[in-house]
Amino acid sequence: ACKGRSSFSQTGIVCRITRPAILVLNQETTKLIQKAFQRATYPDIKGERVILFLGKVNYGLYNIQISNLSISSSQAELKKDKSINIAIQNVSVIFKGTLQYEYKGGWLLAVHQSVDFEIGTSLDLQINTQLACDGGRVQADTSDCFLSFHKLHLNLHGEKQPGWIEQLFTDFISFTLKLILKGQVCKEISVLANIMATFVQDKAANFLTDGDISVDISLTRPPVIKDSYLESHHKGFLTYKNQSSGFQDSSYTPNMLGDSRMLYFWFSEKVLSSLAKAAFLDKRLMLTLTGNEFKALLENKGLDTTQDILQEIFQGSFRDSQVVVRSLVAPVITCKPEGTIVKSSVGVEIQLLHPDQASTVAFSFEEDVVTVIQASYEEKKLILDLSDFQIQHKSSRSFSTLSTSQESIQDFLKTLTIMVGIPVIISWLEPALTTLLNSKGLDLFDIINPEIITKEGYLVLQMDFGFPQHLLEDFLQTII
Ligand SMILES: CCc1cc(Oc2ccnc(N(Cc3cccc(OC(F)(F)C(F)F)c3)C[C@@H](O)C(F)(F)F)n2)ccc1Cl
């Protein structure tokens, strides 16, 4: 994935992160930069110089460590078709270590000194991050990384040291130290950036996997960076029991998403349909009600449970029976401005339970159902509203003679499907999907005013968010 031509045609999902989101995410940049400084290792700096009147002096700065680090502020901005530029001001660091030097004094005199030092520095950092695609995964390239030093000041402990040390530090050591700092800190930043990219990729992949069902989120092209947003394009193919099924979808265009909300997710209806298909194949689209639950549902919809037809089907007792509702085919999902349209064929079986005998089917019927659903997400719960429906009676079979006429049976079943069938399926789906999303940790995110919008052929999730502290803590744990 990703090598060569940009294949819009394979894109099933697009994630767009806009400038307002970058500003929120930037709040935590300083923590990551601190981590980079702390992780960096600072090698010893050794050398020898000929010093006037002293001859050849061997010196070395050993065990250089950070003793104090503070960062004042950072800015992040998007550079169209180029990079995410992060500028960090006034990083002030204090390094400590031991300076050792020796030289041959007069003909016998050899001087060997070791003195603790502190080096105070203050610098600015500029990281121009480019996003690329590497084997279908997001890769962050932070090689365009540089430091500019405001000050570099050596402070030697103990009694007054000879002036030539200060000179040596100013002329030479500070130059070497700057090189080392730039090399080590920029290397750590690159390491952290790629650990972060991997972390998000893996978290995202986990988010879109449940049991044998998963969505292939490999990139179909390198992430795109514009002035007001950046976005990644993903296949969105379904993988069920390791069988991947693709689709051709060339419908995404950038103007389908805005840039006023922080986060946008674009889903092709084909992705939704293939998820429904996987759920069907995975035998998830069925639910069983006890006779009493069914009776209670009828009652709270005001249906008369004593009418003949029910008495005949249930043979007088709801108690020893159960109602199995299931999808007979993979539902087909399409998106329209009115909502998400779900076309499916529903089978209902009324089974009589006999003590220590197999249950028998007393009655069964099938209906072709088309429903228009509007989804929303409030208080960390998914809400599915039925905005329209169509029912086509397909067939019904009774395993005992019914006195009621075929005509009125069909009417009754239609009413049953409308009044009970569809509502019970929706009120089962809502918590089931909410539970699934929360099992992935969605409820941990601070999602602000999420909107679920359907248009011709696609669905858009758009939202603002509070910084996912839990995610950063998770991430910082993964890096020692
Ligand atoms: C879970 C959201 C999601 C991630 C996808 O895959 C990836 C893979 C790599 N990077 C991304 N980015 C988008 C993104 C935005 C918000 C959250 C998020 O994941 C997460 F942080 F919530 C994770 F913990 F689940 C991922 C980033 C990509 O757009 C960029 F910026 F790197 F180019 N998405 C594909 C679809 C969906 Cl719905």
Side-chain angles (χ1 to χ4, degrees):
C2 275
K3 285 295 158 249
R5 58 182 221 88
S6 70
S7 45
F8 258 116
S9 61
Q10 307 271 333
T11 299
I13 302 176
V14 173
C15 304
R16 176 176 290 189
I17 302 172
T18 63
R19 193 207 312 264
I22 301 288
L23 298 181
V24 164
L25 296 172
N26 174 50
Q27 283 162 17
E28 304 304 318
T29 306
T30 50
K31 271 194 199 138
L32 289 168
I33 299 299
Q34 272 183 355
K35 200 78 187 172
F37 272 92
Q38 281 151 8
R39 280 169 55 95
T41 53
Y42 305 96
D44 300 340
I45 301 174
K46 288 179 234 172
E48 65 176 52
R49 301 280 280 182
V50 172
I51 306 283
L52 201 60
F53 306 126
L54 294 179
K56 194 169 74 163
V57 175
N58 279 311
Y59 64 84
L61 287 85
Y62 299 93
N63 190 20
I64 300 174
Q65 292 183 345
I66 285 190
S67 80
N68 177 305
L69 174 67
S70 77
I71 296 179
S72 71
S73 66
S74 83
Q75 288 79 35
E77 58 174 345
L78 297 169
K79 285 294 176 201
K80 186 174 168 38
D81 299 333
K82 222 171 101 20
S83 61
I84 305 163
N85 289 0
I86 299 165
I88 294 120
Q89 276 84 33
N90 289 341
V91 180
S92 56
V93 196
I94 297 177
F95 295 94
K96 64 181 183 186
T98 311
L99 166 68
Q100 291 183 8
Y101 59 87
E102 62 181 5
Y103 55 86
K104 306 259 171 297
W107 34 286
L108 275 184
L109 194 69
V111 172
H112 185 102
Q113 271 284 6
S114 126
V115 60
D116 288 346
F117 68 83
E118 280 175 2
I119 293 175
T121 73
S122 160
L123 52 94
D124 290 346
L125 198 51
Q126 176 77 26
I127 309 155
N128 302 330
T129 309
Q130 289 174 314
L131 294 178
C133 166
D134 171 36
R137 297 170 74 93
V138 176
Q139 191 190 38
D141 169 9
T142 60
S143 48
D144 185 4
C145 161
F146 50 97
L147 282 66
S148 46
F149 291 84
H150 307 322
K151 82 174 172 60
L152 205 59
H153 174 70
L154 173 71
N155 171 358
L156 294 172
H157 288 192
E159 69 281 359
K160 185 92 188 69
Q161 296 297 327
W164 60 267
I165 295 180
E166 195 58 41
Q167 200 51 45
L168 178 74
F169 177 79
T170 315
D171 293 352
F172 185 69
I173 295 175
S174 59
F175 171 76
T176 317
L177 189 69
K178 285 177 188 175
L179 275 184
I180 286 178
L181 260 181
K182 174 191 169 337
Q184 297 299 87
V185 168
C186 288
K187 176 170 71 90
E188 282 312 317
I189 286 172
S190 164
V191 166
L192 282 186
N194 280 298
I195 296 176
M196 217 154 67
T198 307
F199 176 81
V200 168
Q201 185 83 25
D202 294 348
K203 271 271 189 195
N206 171 271
F207 215 94
L208 293 156
T209 299
D210 188 62
D212 292 331
I213 302 174
S214 73
V215 177
D216 178 351
I217 54 169
S218 30
L219 295 179
T220 56
R221 53 178 299 184
V224 170
I225 299 179
K226 297 297 180 194
D227 288 332
S228 63
Y229 66 81
L230 72 92
E231 69 183 23
S232 54
H233 303 78
H234 308 269
K235 279 186 183 170
F237 292 168
L238 172 84
T239 307
Y240 178 58
K241 290 191 174 166
N242 298 330
Q243 241 103 38
S244 184
S245 56
F247 47 76
Q248 287 295 331
D249 186 328
S250 55
S251 67
Y252 176 73
T253 57
N255 60 9
M256 290 175 173
L257 301 176
D259 61 8
S260 57
R261 303 303 303 275
M262 289 184 185
L263 205 46
Y264 294 81
F265 295 103
W266 178 92
F267 287 89
S268 155
E269 64 185 11
K270 295 191 171 92
V271 170
L272 304 176
S273 232
S274 53
L275 279 172
K277 182 176 164 199
F280 169 72
L281 295 174
D282 210 35
K283 303 195 179 343
R284 299 185 186 213
L285 301 182
M286 62 171 65
L287 77 131
T288 303
L289 298 164
T290 66
N292 287 335
E293 282 167 345
F294 183 67
K295 183 178 180 218
L297 280 167
L298 291 172
E299 283 165 351
N300 80 25
K301 296 283 178 183
L303 288 175
D304 165 16
T305 57
T306 62
Q307 55 188 309
D308 295 358
I309 184 167
L310 281 171
Q311 290 305 320
E312 286 174 0
I313 290 175
F314 283 89
Q315 293 173 14
S317 87
F318 282 96
R319 196 161 39 81
D320 308 327
S321 63
Q322 66 180 12
V323 182
V324 178
V325 183
R326 61 198 175 84
S327 208
L328 299 171
V329 293
V332 174
I333 291 183
T334 53
C335 296
K336 299 269 184 267
E338 301 76 45
T340 305
I341 296 169
V342 183
K343 237 194 204 71
S344 70
S345 211
V346 177
V348 179
E349 255 189 17
I350 293 168
Q351 300 172 356
L352 300 181
L353 309 172
H354 311 295
D356 60 54
Q357 255 183 21
S359 63
T360 55
V361 178
F363 189 83
S364 72
F365 64 101
E366 298 174 8
E367 310 276 336
D368 285 346
V369 181
V370 178
T371 51
V372 182
I373 307 283
Q374 272 149 6
S376 57
Y377 185 73
E378 279 149 35
E379 309 299 316
K380 299 185 186 283
K381 283 190 174 58
L382 186 74
I383 298 163
L384 301 175
D385 289 318
L386 179 70
S387 81
D388 197 358
F389 59 85
Q390 242 177 27
I391 296 180
Q392 193 66 36
H393 180 75
K394 246 172 85 177
S395 71
S396 67
R397 272 190 310 284
S398 165
F399 296 82
S400 61
T401 49
L402 296 177
S403 60
T404 325
S405 75
Q406 196 55 25
E407 190 64 24
S408 56
I409 288 178
Q410 285 198 14
D411 284 353
F412 171 72
L413 294 179
K414 215 159 186 173
T415 310
L416 197 62
T417 309
I418 295 170
M419 302 282 277
V420 178
I422 296 175
V424 83
I425 289 173
I426 290 181
S427 57
W428 160 72
L429 254 185
E430 281 182 340
L433 290 175
T434 301
T435 306
L436 174 62
L437 289 168
N438 289 347
S439 72
K440 300 291 170 191
L442 183 73
D443 52 338
L444 298 174
F445 284 87
D446 172 18
I447 294 174
I448 301 164
N449 182 21
E451 294 174 84
I452 302 175
I453 297 160
T454 52
K455 293 277 172 50
E456 191 64 42
Y458 63 90
L459 178 142
V460 172
L461 309 178
Q462 53 192 46
M463 65 203 76
D464 294 327
F465 60 85
F467 188 83
Q469 276 305 341
H470 72 283
L471 214 56
L472 183 70
E473 296 317 320
D474 258 3
F475 171 67
L476 293 174
Q477 299 308 323
T478 61
I479 44 173
I480 14 124

